[in-house]
Amino acid sequence: MNAATETTALTEAEKKQQYNFNKLTKWLRHAVGDAINDFNMIEEGDKVMVCLSGGKDSYTMLDILMGLQRSAPINFSIVAVNLDQKQPGFPEHVLPEYLKALGVEYHIIEEDTYSIVKRVVPEGKTTCGLCSRLRRGILYRVADELGATKIALGHHREDILETLFLNMFYGGKMKSMPPKLVSDDGKHVVIRPLAYCREKDIIRYAEARQFPIIPCNLCGSQPNLQREVVGQMIKDWDKRFPGRIESMFRAMQNVVPSHLADTGLYDFKNAKADGIAREDGDKAFDRDQFSEPGRINILASKPDGEPSDSACGDF
């Protein structure tokens, strides 16, 4: 192969790489746009506080939201916020340099939650629960100070499914992290724009964009976290049974209270045979129709409380 042929081959490879990246970007923008529209996450005049941890998810969320901001039919502003928890060895310069170069308004909040967590949580115990609660309280306060109307967190589809299973396995509740929620005091609206996004797509996007990832040294090395175990279970299912993850997430949007067992959601006590046909009635003699997991169209699948192992990677 001569030099000219090698140059042409390299160019074709670069073109393919660019094509794949554009396709990935389009998919992520589509997924985030759908989540925003479905849950009315961002409205005219909103000031969205994008919480950055320095992880792949929050970088991707900021990047996609800034792109949508330029083309959205509504006007909204973005302010990036990072909480410096004073973890030993935390590279304090990384995020300020990145955000300054990006040209986005940003604030670095310094709070020594690291010392509190290390002092309160016994050695060997999971730190994520307390760490997450401390961060959330600080972020609510900062949102008030900045006049932010929405608080954006970087949890993706797998985070939401993991929380569902954690609550089922260890909390005895069928409960997850919703794409949009109002805080307990009614003062803040929390949104998760990446709710419909697949983690593997976010990983590819973060690698292509070469984000300056900052690992969490406080809890990232803790072995046998419940969330880590459940997350590995979901990843294993995704490899062995293509389409299962999409089906599970779609199930969260297709709840049938009359076919569960929560008396607070459905009036089982007063359920009587009255001769009136109903959509939520038992179809005992009908054959259930199930889709083949491998044929589920991912684009068609749409997608608080925290158990002890909260998805703390992005607040």
Side-chain angles (χ1 to χ4, degrees):
M1 182 182 293
N2 57 37
T5 304
E6 290 179 357
T7 302
T8 302
L10 180 61
T11 301
E12 289 302 317
E14 290 175 341
K15 286 181 179 179
K16 183 177 181 180
Q17 185 178 31
Q18 186 61 49
Y19 170 80
N20 288 334
F21 176 73
N22 290 341
K23 186 177 180 181
L24 176 62
T25 302
K26 183 178 179 180
W27 151 243
L28 287 173
R29 284 170 59 95
H30 184 279
V32 172
D34 276 353
I36 291 174
N37 290 329
D38 288 350
F39 295 91
N40 194 28
M41 290 184 182
I42 300 176
E43 302 169 87
E44 178 69 33
D46 267 341
K47 185 171 188 178
V48 182
M49 188 175 91
V50 178
C51 301
L52 290 178
S53 66
K56 67 182 186 331
D57 305 326
S58 57
Y59 275 125
T60 298
M61 175 174 63
L62 175 62
D63 211 47
I64 298 297
L65 285 179
M66 289 184 68
L68 290 176
Q69 184 186 34
R70 292 188 287 269
S71 59
I74 61 172
N75 296 308
F76 65 94
S77 59
I78 291 175
V79 55
V81 170
N82 168 255
L83 175 58
D84 180 354
Q85 299 176 262
K86 296 304 174 184
Q87 296 180 27
F90 182 79
E92 298 179 357
H93 65 285
V94 173
L95 276 168
E97 290 178 359
Y98 174 79
L99 294 170
K100 185 176 181 179
L102 208 56
V104 65
E105 179 187 351
Y106 72 92
H107 296 270
I108 306 297
I109 312 301
E110 298 185 0
E111 294 281 353
D112 188 5
T113 62
Y114 175 84
S115 296
I116 297 174
V117 171
K118 297 301 287 185
R119 184 178 70 251
V120 174
V121 179
E123 189 69 30
K125 296 294 183 180
T126 303
T127 60
C128 298
L130 175 59
C131 186
S132 179
R133 288 194 296 275
L134 291 172
R135 279 201 312 272
R136 192 64 58 87
I138 294 169
L139 290 173
Y140 284 161
R141 186 201 75 211
V142 173
D144 285 335
E145 294 172 354
L146 297 177
T149 55
K150 302 288 172 60
I151 301 174
L153 306 180
H155 300 120
H156 48 70
R157 184 190 64 180
E158 278 78 359
D159 286 327
I160 293 173
L161 284 172
E162 286 171 11
T163 304
L164 173 67
F165 284 111
L166 280 168
N167 276 305
M168 290 174 63
F169 294 165
Y170 305 105
K173 293 181 181 180
M174 192 165 290
K175 174 181 178 182
S176 186
M177 298 186 297
K180 179 182 179 181
L181 63 85
V182 178
S183 61
D184 293 345
D185 59 9
K187 295 181 179 179
H188 305 95
V189 177
V190 176
I191 60 175
R192 296 183 168 95
L194 300 182
Y196 291 172
C197 296
R198 306 183 300 185
E199 183 177 22
K200 55 189 175 185
D201 290 333
I202 294 173
I203 292 173
R204 289 171 54 210
Y205 188 81
E207 290 174 347
R209 296 285 285 120
Q210 297 184 324
F211 294 134
I213 304 298
I214 301 174
C216 176
N217 296 320
L218 175 61
C219 57
S221 60
Q222 288 183 278
N224 301 320
L225 292 178
Q226 293 170 346
R227 180 171 291 276
E228 182 179 324
V229 173
V230 172
Q232 188 55 52
M233 176 189 75
I234 292 176
K235 287 184 176 67
D236 181 57
W237 282 348
D238 193 31
K239 291 179 180 178
R240 294 168 54 201
F241 311 105
R244 175 173 289 188
I245 307 303
E246 286 73 28
S247 181
M248 288 192 302
F249 194 89
R250 194 167 67 251
M252 294 180 64
Q253 300 176 289
N254 190 23
V255 179
V256 184
S258 64
H259 283 53
L260 295 176
D262 189 335
T263 57
L265 290 179
Y266 189 81
D267 188 7
F268 290 99
K269 289 185 178 180
N270 291 312
K272 294 179 175 61
D274 53 15
I276 300 174
R278 61 196 69 197
E279 284 297 318
D280 61 2
D282 183 30
K283 299 178 178 60
F285 302 102
D286 294 343
R287 183 175 180 177
D288 288 324
Q289 299 295 319
F290 296 110
S291 300
E292 290 185 45
R295 294 187 179 181
I296 291 173
N297 183 352
I298 295 174
L299 287 176
S301 65
K302 295 183 178 179
D304 157 89
E306 299 281 350
S308 59
D309 289 311
S310 60
C312 60
D314 289 293
F315 300 91

